[in-house]
Amino acid sequence: SACLVGSEMCIRDRIKRVFNWPPIVDVGKLSGALFLAGTGRSGTGWVANIINYDNRYRYMYEPFSPRVVDTVAAFTWGLYIRPDDRSEQYIVPARRLLEGKVGHYPKLDRANRRVFATKRLLKETRANLWLKWLHVNFPEVKIVLLMRHPCAAVNSRIKRGNLVLFDQFLQQPMLMADHLAPFKRDIEEAKDADEFSKRVYMWCVNHYVPLRQFKPGEMHLGFYENFAEHPREEIRRLFAFLGEPYDDGIFDAVRRPSEVTRPDAAILTGKSVVGHWQEEVGAERTRRSIDILRRFGLDAIYGEDPMPKVAADDAFLTQREAVSRPE
């Protein structure tokens, strides 16, 4: 069983559940887990708080980072996992997190306000390249992928000083063989590009892979910009997918910044939440970014305008390829 395979892991978790403070009693099942994915600075913290506006979930913050939970060392940054991979180094710790069988960790529960839980919300910015693996191995878990315009996300990451971890893509033969072979030369040349362009390539890889693997209905795709500009419709779509009720109290969470919002963020300064990046990034850098998106076919989703160009279901590459494929 999973516990026999990961006995040391189980023992650590049981100790934490008994002795760590504050205690958390989580009695949920896999079907009670909601997985919110996105890249860094894409608004996942903000949207997580919208989803959990009434504190119905145990909120697990970036649980697949070894800096947050000490049992997930196999989940390195930029990791790609093939959907049919059944390796216990991935399955065992993932199952324990998804089932809530881990005790209190200070960073994991930094935004959690529940002691007794039957549902959990796992917010993760490192999972895009193994979302399909998650879906195949844990089909009971609902998955939401949040997208934000690459120029906005990249601009925010640069201001935050996040590391540029680019080489991991080329160093994973299975990722290259399964998805990135057509772009190998571009990605290799991008290693010498400016930081902004390099980060846009990273954004493309992190979205091209899941949009190529999933079909509409298998996971929910949401747009950061729509939550900001059209919150009622975007929230309606999201909660219809979740099969959960909500009330007007949710719109208080729309107006509230997340725990990691910067002091100069638009939501605090009164600037446009959606378009404030345009002045900072500039027209020329924006055009170069969209040219990179075009190589992956992702320019059909985002262009020079801040708002997404398509409805969510039309963003899936499987759907678009099926429409364009001759009979």
Side-chain angles (χ1 to χ4, degrees):
S1 70
C3 252
L4 289 176
V5 172
S7 57
E8 182 181 349
M9 181 189 310
C10 291
I11 292 170
R12 280 202 304 268
D13 285 342
R14 285 170 181 160
I15 292 173
K16 286 179 180 292
R17 295 177 79 180
V18 172
F19 294 105
N20 276 21
W21 194 264
I24 294 174
V25 180
D26 193 332
V27 296
K29 301 178 181 179
L30 280 174
S31 58
L34 168 59
F35 197 93
L36 173 62
T39 56
R41 312 309 298 164
S42 63
T44 51
W46 178 48
V47 171
N49 286 334
I50 293 173
I51 294 172
N52 199 33
Y53 78 100
D54 58 357
N55 198 34
R56 70 182 67 177
Y57 293 95
R58 175 189 178 185
Y59 182 7
M60 304 171 79
Y61 192 95
E62 315 243 336
F64 285 85
S65 168
R67 294 180 300 175
V68 175
V69 177
D70 59 7
T71 58
V72 296
F75 288 88
T76 55
W77 192 96
L79 174 70
Y80 170 70
I81 312 177
R82 280 180 167 161
D84 60 355
D85 192 322
R86 296 289 299 169
S87 300
E88 292 168 348
Q89 64 175 335
Y90 303 131
I91 293 288
V92 172
R95 179 176 293 277
R96 295 188 64 76
L97 281 168
L98 293 166
E99 292 181 343
K101 294 180 179 177
V102 293
H104 170 74
Y105 286 82
K107 292 181 179 178
L108 175 70
D109 295 303
R110 59 187 291 184
N112 179 58
R113 303 191 307 276
R114 285 200 71 92
V115 173
F116 182 84
T118 59
K119 297 180 179 181
R120 62 217 60 83
L121 168 60
L122 297 87
K123 194 279 287 191
E124 185 56 65
T125 60
R126 301 158 51 97
N128 281 29
L129 300 184
W130 45 265
L131 285 179
K132 187 66 173 183
W133 170 86
L134 184 76
H135 175 67
V136 169
N137 287 281
F138 304 100
E140 307 94 330
V141 176
K142 288 185 172 67
I143 299 174
V144 176
L145 175 61
L146 182 67
M147 294 186 71
R148 185 185 186 186
H149 195 293
C151 290
V154 166
N155 187 51
S156 182
R157 287 186 69 79
I158 289 176
K159 289 196 295 185
R160 194 173 179 84
N162 296 114
L163 294 174
V164 182
L165 302 172
F166 188 82
D167 293 341
Q168 280 85 341
F169 300 137
L170 291 168
Q171 294 171 355
Q172 296 187 76
M174 289 185 291
L175 174 60
M176 295 302 300
D178 292 355
H179 302 287
L180 301 185
F183 315 107
K184 183 177 180 180
R185 183 173 179 179
D186 287 334
I187 295 172
E188 287 177 338
E189 292 176 352
K191 290 197 296 184
D192 298 321
D194 62 279
E195 181 182 356
F196 200 95
S197 297
K198 192 178 297 185
R199 288 185 182 276
V200 172
Y201 268 102
M202 295 166 64
W203 184 97
C204 287
V205 170
N206 274 303
H207 291 89
Y208 174 80
V209 171
L211 291 177
R212 188 168 186 250
Q213 291 180 309
F214 281 87
K215 298 177 182 178
E218 291 182 333
M219 73 172 177
H220 179 83
L221 181 64
F223 293 112
Y224 171 92
E225 294 81 10
N226 286 346
F227 276 104
E229 295 292 313
H230 312 294
R232 289 189 179 275
E233 176 58 21
E234 197 72 357
I235 288 170
R236 184 198 64 76
R237 288 184 55 250
L238 172 59
F239 277 76
F241 172 79
L242 300 180
E244 295 277 356
Y246 65 94
D247 57 44
D248 284 348
I250 198 170
F251 298 105
D252 291 334
V254 174
R255 295 184 288 270
R256 194 162 53 240
S258 77
E259 300 82 8
V260 293
T261 299
R262 291 172 52 87
D264 61 348
I267 196 170
L268 298 178
T269 61
K271 298 179 182 178
S272 168
V273 173
V274 169
H276 72 280
W277 58 265
Q278 290 179 296
E279 183 178 342
E280 296 178 358
V281 173
E284 177 58 31
R285 198 157 48 176
T286 300
R287 284 193 291 270
R288 291 202 310 268
S289 299
I290 303 309
D291 181 63
I292 295 171
L293 266 65
R294 189 172 296 113
R295 304 177 194 194
F296 292 83
L298 299 176
D299 62 313
I301 303 174
Y302 281 113
E304 295 181 27
D305 187 83
M307 296 298 293
K309 298 163 64 175
V310 297
D313 281 356
D314 295 327
F316 288 89
L317 297 177
T318 48
Q319 183 81 345
R320 286 161 49 199
E321 288 170 359
V323 171
S324 62
R325 192 180 302 127
E327 296 292 337

